[in-house]
């Protein structure tokens, strides 16, 4: 069953990715003897060996109870070991129900996971806001306590449990605390979020620094492991050495192209604006089901590369020490004939198909007249249209949030 499903996803006949968890609610599915796959927003891979249960990733605080229930239908072995692929909350919150059974697990992770948890406490409110916006979840509250790893490592670590070996390798990509897992007994690769069945989440506009170039290296490293099974922490399994290598190497090629183009333009002295509107991903990979820009987007990756290598100054001298946005907006509105004139211009731009320009004009109008209900009706219309026309979750989230802000004020 699971191999047939994975084949459908590979051929683009079914969706299963970080955006569409296609098998959620199906419980733990057996991949091979002693290996189970649990699908959710944050997959969990379960191993039963030598009377022990090992989990690679542990899902989120919102699904911990369901995970426990489903795993217990698959095995009654006590949880002795868990491995975090990284410290995002959809991967680190599922051990509590197992440990309440009376067995405290040993949790392994890269050392930077601890630093991430400390940062989450410092920025708890901010993380609530940006994740409410990203996932359109207004009631989401960011956790303020975490199950810390018991054992951390720096570069590599080998863990033996039952009859299985877990070779752990540190990598950077979406995060700085990522762990790649490899189980040689099954020729099984555990990439965590380094492969998510869409373009790499490497430019997320509301989150901390990503590492595109290092991500390319990690993808090529994983391809060289010659695995026969790959179980990502988001999206469907991939079976077969050739398919795994193709998916990893083509993802590396896609991302490496953005890195190379961006660095060439940055090194030539181009402004960020020019780079964002010039860099394009390889066209010949556009039909791959694992390279659709449905979560992150290429231009966000470019901006993240600029932040990593070029700092925050974007090359526009007016942005070095800018006027407050509201002051600039009022000045532009006065030149245009008032905020309503800007709002009308935004609607004309929208009608003409220039949604980017419409967004600028609508935002200027709202900044110039923050209490004008008519202006906010226009802003809501513009950003609702922008959200409807986007494919990536990141863009949809920001534009939908902006539209809702203005709907409440119109």
């Amino acid at each position: 069953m699971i191999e047939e499903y994975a084949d459908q996803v590979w051929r683009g006949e079914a969706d299963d990715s970080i955006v569409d968890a296609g098998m959620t609610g199906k419980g733990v599915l057996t991949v091979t003897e002693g290996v189970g796959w649990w699908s959710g927003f944050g997959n969990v891979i379960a191993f039963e060996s030598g009377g022990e249960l090992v989990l690679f990733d542990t899902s989120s605080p919102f699904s911990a109870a369901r995970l426990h229930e489903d795993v217990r239908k698959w095995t009654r072995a006590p949880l002795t070991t868990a491995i975090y692929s990284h410290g995002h909350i959809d991967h680190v919150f599922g051990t509590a129900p197992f440990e309440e059974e009376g067995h405290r697990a040993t949790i392994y992770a890269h050392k930077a996971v601890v630093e991430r948890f400390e940062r989450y406490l410092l920025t708890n409110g901010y993380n609530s806001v940006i994740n409410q916006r990203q996932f359109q979840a207004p009631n989401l509250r960011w956790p303020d306590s975490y199950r810390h790893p018991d054992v951390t490592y720096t570069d590599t670590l080998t863990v033996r449990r039952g009859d299985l070996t877990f070779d752990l390798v540190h990598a950077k990509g979406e995060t700085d605390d990522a762990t790649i897992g490899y189980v040689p007994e099954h020729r099984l690769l555990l990439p965590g979020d380094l492969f998510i069945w869409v373009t790499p989440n490497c430019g997320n506009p509301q989150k901390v620094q990503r590492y595109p170039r290092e991500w390319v290296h990690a993808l090529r490293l994983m391809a060289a492991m010659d695995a026969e099974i790959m179980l990502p922490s988001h999206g469907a399994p991939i079976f077969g050495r050739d398919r795994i290598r193709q998916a990893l190497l083509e993802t590396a090629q896609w991302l490496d192209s953005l890195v190379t183009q961006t660095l060439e333009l940055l090194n030539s002295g181009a402004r960020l604006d020019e780079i964002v509107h010039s860099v394009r991903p390889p066209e010949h990979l556009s039909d791959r089901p694992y390279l659709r820009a449905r979560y992150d987007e290429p231009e966000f990756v470019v901006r993240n590369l600029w932040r990593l290598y070029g700092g925050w100054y974007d090359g526009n001298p007016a942005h070095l020490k800018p006027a407050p946005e509201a002051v600039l907006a009022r000045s532009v509105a006065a030149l245009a004939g008032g905020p309503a004139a800007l709002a009308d211009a935004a609607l004309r731009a929208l009608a003409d198909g220039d949604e980017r320009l419409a967004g600028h004009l609508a935002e200027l109008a709202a900044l110039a007249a923050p209490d004008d209900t008519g202006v906010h009706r226009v802003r809501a219309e513009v950003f609702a249209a922008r959200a409807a026309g986007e494919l990536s979750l990141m863009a949809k989230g920001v534009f939908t949030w902006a539209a809702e802000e203005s709907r409440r004020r119109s």
Side-chain angles (χ1 to χ4, degrees):
M1 173 185 174
I2 193 169
E3 291 196 36
E4 292 178 4
Y5 174 71
D7 187 58
Q8 290 177 337
V9 176
W10 178 265
R11 289 186 274 115
E13 297 170 2
D15 287 334
D16 197 334
S17 68
I18 195 170
V19 181
D20 305 286
M23 295 293 276
T24 296
K26 302 294 185 182
V28 178
L29 303 178
T30 297
V31 176
T32 188
E33 184 178 357
V35 181
W37 176 67
W38 185 87
S39 173
F41 189 76
N43 299 339
V44 176
I45 297 85
F47 300 85
E48 183 182 15
S49 180
E52 299 183 35
L53 171 64
V54 177
L55 298 180
F56 188 87
D57 279 337
T58 67
S59 195
S60 76
F62 315 111
S63 55
R66 180 61 181 269
L67 169 68
H68 177 257
E69 178 183 344
D70 288 343
V71 169
R72 282 294 167 244
K73 293 176 182 177
W74 187 72
T75 179
R76 300 302 303 180
L79 177 68
T80 64
T81 308
I83 300 165
Y84 294 161
S85 69
H86 60 297
H88 283 166
I89 69 167
D90 50 324
H91 301 266
V92 299
F93 267 93
T95 59
F98 294 95
E99 295 188 318
E100 288 167 2
E101 297 173 341
H103 301 275
R104 180 174 172 84
T106 300
I107 297 180
Y108 296 83
H110 186 261
K111 66 177 184 178
V113 166
V114 176
E115 297 163 8
R116 171 181 300 279
F117 291 166
E118 292 171 352
R119 174 167 55 79
Y120 280 166
L121 296 178
L122 289 173
T123 59
N124 182 271
Y126 176 69
N127 275 289
S128 292
V129 169
I130 62 176
N131 283 280
Q132 288 168 12
R133 187 186 298 131
Q134 178 170 312
F135 296 108
Q136 294 302 292
N139 296 320
L140 186 150
R141 294 295 179 269
W142 203 248
D144 58 10
S145 64
Y146 299 87
R147 173 64 163 89
H148 281 237
D150 302 290
V151 179
T152 62
Y153 75 100
T154 302
D155 298 315
T156 62
L157 180 68
T158 296
V159 178
R160 286 283 300 177
R161 284 293 179 268
D163 300 320
L164 296 178
T165 307
F166 297 86
D167 291 324
L168 309 181
V169 180
H170 174 237
K172 285 186 175 182
E174 180 188 32
T175 67
D176 63 355
D177 58 358
T179 289
I180 298 166
Y182 185 75
V183 184
E185 291 83 0
H186 294 295
R187 295 188 66 184
L188 171 61
L189 176 62
L190 302 165
D193 278 12
L194 292 165
F195 183 86
I196 54 176
W197 274 101
V198 292
T199 56
N201 180 22
C202 209
N204 191 316
Q206 301 180 91
K207 302 295 178 69
V208 297
Q209 184 67 57
R210 270 65 167 129
Y211 303 91
R213 189 164 173 267
E214 291 84 351
W215 199 330
V216 171
H217 297 162
L219 289 161
R220 290 172 176 159
L221 172 66
M222 291 189 293
M225 292 178 177
D226 282 336
E228 288 290 345
I229 304 171
M230 182 166 76
L231 299 178
S233 291
H234 290 284
I238 299 180
F239 293 91
R241 173 184 179 275
D242 291 344
R243 284 186 174 182
I244 293 169
R245 283 179 55 81
Q246 178 184 327
L248 294 172
L249 291 176
E250 287 189 341
T251 302
Q253 182 183 359
W254 185 95
L255 189 54
D256 194 30
S257 175
L258 298 186
V259 173
T260 300
Q261 292 177 67
T262 300
L263 287 175
E264 286 178 351
L265 287 166
L266 186 149
N267 284 323
S268 74
R271 290 186 179 189
L272 175 59
D273 179 72
E274 177 186 346
I275 299 175
V276 164
H277 292 98
S278 300
V279 173
R280 296 290 181 270
E283 180 62 30
H284 72 281
L285 298 176
S286 62
D287 65 341
R288 303 298 195 265
Y290 42 84
L291 288 176
R292 297 166 297 171
R294 295 196 54 218
Y295 194 63
D296 207 335
E297 296 197 34
E299 68 179 85
F300 299 160
V301 177
V302 170
R303 289 185 180 276
N304 198 28
L305 281 160
W306 178 282
R307 177 173 65 176
L308 179 61
Y309 294 117
W312 62 263
Y313 174 54
D314 64 3
N316 184 335
H319 293 165
L320 184 65
K321 298 183 72 174
E325 291 179 337
V327 171
L328 174 63
R330 288 193 293 271
S331 178
V332 172
L335 292 170
L342 281 177
D344 289 342
L347 291 177
R348 288 195 299 273
L350 187 64
D352 290 340
D354 194 340
E355 293 187 349
R356 293 188 183 232
L357 178 59
H360 283 296
L361 296 170
E363 189 67 14
L364 284 169
L367 288 168
D371 299 321
D372 189 314
T373 57
V375 163
H376 277 287
R377 280 194 294 271
V378 171
R379 183 176 182 265
E381 180 178 347
V382 166
F383 284 110
R386 294 221 64 183
E390 296 291 339
L391 296 177
S392 79
L393 183 143
M394 305 298 173
K396 280 184 176 293
V398 170
F399 292 149
T400 300
W401 189 271
E404 289 300 321
E405 284 179 327
S406 280
R407 286 194 183 105
R408 291 193 293 268
R409 303 178 70 172
S410 62

